[in-house]
Amino acid sequence: MSIHSNMNGRGSGPESQDFLGNYLESLAMVERLHRLLLDVVKDEFERLNLLDINSVQALLLFNIGDNEVTAGELKSRGYYQGSNVSYNLKKLVECGYMHHKRCEVDRRAVRVKLTDEGQNVRKIVAELFQRHAVGMKERGVLTESTLQDITNSLHRVERYWGDQIRYIY
């Protein structure tokens, strides 16, 4: 069942229905692109025979980068949900991709940082994204202007949704 079939056609007129249809199609596309990104990362790691890390964990390492963070910081930035980030950080520590230590100020919090092996994974993901950027540009999949328009639009949606969570109950 698609998102489209779950809506009962509220709105006023064809323009509203066209906008709603386009909005629902965009939501479905964002979901599909996220799943496809995870598959692309997974495929890269399978090609390299790195099977002890999944795509979510690889992206987590990529996003942490050179920073030292807590699970709470990752959650508060909106990147990850609580149980997911805690589980994945624990697994990454167990597999040697991250160091962890108790925070000196708040002994309940644990700070994590990438090990050399974690930095290697981060580098693999960065190189994958670099290849994709070059390939898309060379093949005309996206132009600089189009990519900037997409990014700006997604930032506006992010702000709108964030406002809905904070201000409308």
Side-chain angles (χ1 to χ4, degrees), residues 69-77 80-82 85-86 89 109-112:
V69 297
T70 65
E73 289 168 341
L74 291 168
K75 286 186 330 190
S76 68
R77 292 178 194 163
Y80 303 95
Q81 295 178 346
V85 74
S86 297
L89 289 176
V110 175
R111 301 198 65 76
V112 293

Side-chain angles (χ1 to χ4, degrees), residues 27-155:
L27 292 176
M29 180 60 69
V30 168
E31 286 182 293
R32 284 195 311 271
L33 285 173
H34 175 67
R35 285 191 300 272
L36 190 55
L37 172 64
L38 295 175
D39 286 344
V40 165
V41 172
K42 176 181 174 270
D43 185 61
E44 180 73 2
F45 280 84
E46 286 176 354
R47 251 195 303 279
L48 297 171
N49 203 30
L50 291 170
L51 305 176
D52 64 336
I53 186 167
N54 66 41
S55 53
V56 170
Q57 293 163 347
L59 289 173
L60 184 60
L61 292 172
F62 176 78
N63 288 323
I64 290 172
D66 292 326
N67 300 311
E68 185 175 286
V69 297
T70 65
E73 289 168 341
L74 291 168
K75 286 186 330 190
S76 68
R77 292 178 194 163
Y79 294 133
Y80 303 95
Q81 295 178 346
S83 60
N84 291 347
V85 74
S86 297
Y87 169 81
N88 283 310
L89 289 176
K90 180 182 174 197
K91 286 302 214 182
L92 289 166
V93 167
E94 288 173 3
C95 291
Y97 293 107
M98 301 189 96
H99 294 294
H100 69 99
K101 66 177 181 178
R102 290 265 170 225
C103 182
E104 293 177 15
V105 175
D106 180 357
R107 300 298 294 166
R108 296 170 297 169
V110 175
R111 301 198 65 76
V112 293
K113 184 175 173 117
L114 275 59
T115 62
D116 289 342
E117 191 63 31
Q119 287 291 348
N120 289 337
V121 168
R122 178 178 180 242
K123 182 180 175 194
I124 290 168
V125 175
E127 289 170 352
L128 174 67
F129 290 165
Q130 175 67 30
R131 285 195 317 270
H132 288 172
V134 168
M136 284 187 195
K137 190 173 184 180
E138 287 177 351
R139 290 177 181 86
V141 174
L142 293 171
T143 65
E144 187 73 36
S145 174
T146 303
L147 188 56
Q148 192 60 52
D149 289 344
I150 291 168
T151 302
N152 290 339
S153 295
L154 291 172
H155 278 297

